[in-house]
């Protein structure tokens, strides 16, 4: 009885974990359905490597089972000592050469692809985006277009896009599994990676290097749109007016509060900022990368960011220390932020 209970408990724990892991709502966070060049190449190497491993496994297991059956102790031979041999040149050469050949089979495409994905020959003539990883969010700057944004990275479909990546604090790793491989985002040097998406859509990305309390919440998205839509988006973002007066009175009051409390870290428009740029905050479908895009969540986020993303940079904000932002204030700020819509081109329109 006890044994059964244990089994049931293990099973339910296991199913719960499967459920938890699969129900994250992180659509297309998979390297197995490639929608971009880097991801496709990575999958090709994964398949080559797994095929080699499966062949090795089958051969080794077949020999193992054969030896087990053929040389097992037989009735009446309990005390028999088989013929003892030591060293066999042919065998030793065979089992040294085979792994070398297998490693060469894996190494050739791996090295070729590694060089191919590091190719920077088209960098000058392509779209360049500066990516900055910070605890626990992503800043995207389009230097040629003079656009700053965060969390949602917009790119045109079918184009090589070069990402120049650096971190302001610890090591992060940029990873959108269905579009490309991973790239370390270091505080001391710039790493460049190009991505090329094959299909329009919204692709989930995650930080893939442990970087602190909320590492697992350092999510972002790549929004892949047609060239036409991308150009439209660029124009719309360039036209963001930080001084635009919101329609509703609460949002107007929210704007005033935002400019008292939040503007020291955040920015609207093409201004560099310590915290996330919020130019198109209203266009996004997530708050802080992981929260539902609703007024309720946003108010909670403003008032108690530690409960949603432990260890994040906003915890040091003066308004949280001196509690100068009330529930009512937070609602007004949320009203202002949610109406910051920059473009018709959004993750929702790209889906
Ligand atoms: Cu950034 Cu993990």
């Amino acid at each position: 009885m006890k044994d059964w209970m244990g089994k049931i408990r293990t099973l339910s724990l296991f199913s719960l974990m499967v459920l938890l892991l699969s129900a994250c709502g992180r659509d297309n966070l998979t390297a197995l359905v490639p929608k971009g060049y880097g991801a496709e190449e990575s999958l090709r190497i994964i398949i080559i490597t797994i095929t080699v491993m499966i062949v090795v496994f089958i051969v080794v297991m077949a020999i193992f089972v054969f030896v087990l059956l053929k040389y097992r102790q037989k009735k009446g031979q309990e005390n028999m000592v088989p013929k003892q041999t030591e060293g066999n040149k042919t065998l030793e050469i065979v089992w040294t050469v085979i792994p070398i050949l297998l490693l060469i089979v894996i190494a050739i495409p791996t090295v070729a692809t590694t060089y191919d994905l590091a190719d920077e020959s088209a960098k000058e003539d392509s779209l360049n985006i500066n990516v900055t990883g910070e605890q626990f969010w992503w800043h995207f700057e389009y230097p040629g277009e003079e656009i700053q944004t965060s969390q949602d990275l917009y790119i045109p479909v079918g184009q090589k896009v070069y990402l120049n990546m650096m971190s302001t604090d610890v090591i992060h790793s940029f990873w959108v599994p269905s579009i490309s491989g991973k790239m370390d985002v270091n505080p001391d040097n710039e790493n460049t990676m190009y991505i090329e998406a094959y299909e329009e859509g919204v692709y989930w990305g995650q930080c893939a290097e442990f970087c602190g309390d909320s590492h697992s919440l350092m999510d972002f998205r790549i929004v892949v749109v047609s060239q036409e839509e991308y150009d439209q988006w660029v124009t719309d973002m360039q036209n963001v007016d930080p001084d635009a007066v919101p329609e509703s009175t609460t949002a107007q009051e929210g704007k005033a509060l935002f400019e008292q409390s939040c503007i020291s870290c955040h920015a609207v428009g093409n201004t560099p900022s310590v915290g996330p740029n919020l130019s198109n905050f209203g266009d996004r479908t997530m708050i802080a990368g992981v929260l539902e895009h609703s007024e309720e969540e946003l108010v909670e986020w403003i008032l108690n960011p530690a409960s949603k993303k432990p260890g994040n940079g906003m915890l040091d904000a003066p308004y949280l220390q001196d509690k100068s932002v009330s529930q009512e204030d937070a609602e007004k700020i949320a009203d202002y932020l949610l109406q910051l819509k920059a473009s018709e081109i959004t993750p929702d329109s790209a889906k």
Side-chain angles (χ1 to χ4, degrees):
M1 188 67 187
K2 245 187 180 171
D3 205 33
W4 266 104
M5 292 297 284
K7 270 183 192 153
I8 289 173
R9 219 175 303 139
T10 317
L11 197 70
S12 42
L13 195 70
F14 180 73
S15 3
L16 186 74
M17 278 169 71
V18 169
L19 209 79
L20 276 176
L21 289 172
S22 59
C24 293
R26 287 167 173 158
D27 339 329
N28 59 48
L29 192 74
T30 170
L32 302 178
V33 188
K35 301 285 182 188
Y37 182 67
E40 193 178 63
E41 290 297 287
S42 304
L43 183 61
R44 197 169 61 89
I45 291 170
I46 291 173
I47 290 171
I48 293 172
T49 314
I50 287 181
T51 309
V52 168
M53 286 193 292
I54 289 173
V55 170
V56 169
F57 181 77
I58 290 173
V59 171
V60 169
M61 286 323 270
I63 296 173
F64 173 67
V65 171
F66 171 76
V67 170
L68 210 63
L69 294 177
K70 179 155 175 138
Y71 297 102
R72 67 198 293 238
Q73 196 180 60
K74 296 186 178 79
K75 269 221 164 90
Q77 301 180 343
E78 280 81 3
N79 295 319
M80 197 196 89
V81 177
K83 192 183 143 211
Q84 301 295 298
T85 54
E86 195 182 81
N88 182 323
K89 221 178 231 169
T90 320
L91 267 181
E92 278 170 18
I93 290 174
V94 166
W95 68 51
T96 308
V97 168
I98 290 178
I100 291 176
L101 291 177
L102 291 177
L103 284 180
I104 291 174
V105 167
I106 295 175
I108 290 174
T110 306
V111 173
T113 306
T114 306
Y115 274 92
D116 177 22
L117 291 175
D119 174 38
E120 293 194 15
S121 59
K123 188 171 185 280
E124 296 251 303
D125 305 317
S126 304
L127 170 61
N128 273 257
I129 301 171
N130 298 333
V131 174
T132 313
E134 309 206 19
Q135 284 168 324
F136 302 94
W137 61 282
W138 298 88
H139 178 230
F140 304 118
E141 182 198 11
Y142 298 62
E145 290 72 16
E146 301 191 334
I147 293 173
Q148 318 254 355
T149 186
S150 58
Q151 297 305 95
D152 290 353
L153 176 67
Y154 289 72
I155 60 164
V157 72
Q159 299 286 331
K160 266 191 179 177
V161 178
Y162 280 81
L163 306 176
N164 309 307
M165 310 195 223
M166 275 200 90
S167 160
T168 53
D169 36 53
V170 296
I171 302 174
H172 303 275
S173 178
F174 182 97
W175 190 38
V176 184
S178 49
I179 300 290
S180 76
K182 293 173 187 170
M183 177 60 82
D184 267 5
V185 181
N186 300 333
D188 300 320
N189 70 295
E190 188 179 273
N191 278 342
T192 297
M193 171 171 81
Y194 72 79
I195 55 174
E196 187 185 333
Y198 294 153
E199 269 177 44
E200 290 170 36
V202 180
Y203 302 93
W204 210 282
Q206 259 219 319
C207 177
E209 175 85 40
F210 180 72
C211 56
D213 291 356
S214 292
H215 150 72
S216 65
L217 303 173
M218 197 169 158
D219 295 20
F220 63 102
R221 265 91 51 78
I222 295 190
V223 183
V224 181
V225 293
S226 69
Q227 184 68 50
E228 217 169 62
E229 288 171 313
Y230 173 76
D231 293 338
Q232 181 60 50
W233 179 79
V234 168
T235 313
D236 293 341
M237 284 296 283
Q238 286 168 337
N239 289 332
V240 166
D241 176 12
D243 299 321
V245 180
E247 266 174 41
S248 76
T249 358
T250 45
Q252 285 169 17
E253 288 169 24
K255 182 173 189 289
L257 287 162
F258 179 83
E259 282 163 6
Q260 273 167 32
S261 294
C262 319
I263 206 83
S264 52
C265 292
H266 294 280
V268 176
N270 180 35
T271 320
S273 54
V274 205
N277 182 294
L278 304 175
S279 295
N280 59 351
F281 187 85
D283 296 339
R284 296 181 193 164
T285 46
M286 299 304 260
I287 293 167
V290 286
L291 307 174
E292 194 196 323
H293 201 258
S294 68
E295 172 133 16
E296 201 183 322
E297 283 283 341
L298 181 53
V299 170
E300 258 189 77
W301 168 250
I302 294 170
L303 292 174
N304 192 2
S307 68
K308 304 284 181 188
K309 233 174 168 178
N312 82 80
M314 207 150 101
L315 306 185
D316 299 326
Y319 82 88
L320 287 172
Q321 313 303 321
D322 61 18
K323 299 202 166 49
S324 56
V325 169
S326 66
Q327 170 85 22
E328 205 187 329
D329 291 343
E331 282 166 13
K332 288 174 183 167
I333 296 174
D335 258 358
Y336 167 63
L337 292 176
L338 289 169
Q339 59 85 53
L340 287 175
K341 293 182 196 288
S343 177
E344 298 278 303
I345 317 297
T346 65
D348 275 336
S349 80
K351 257 181 189 168

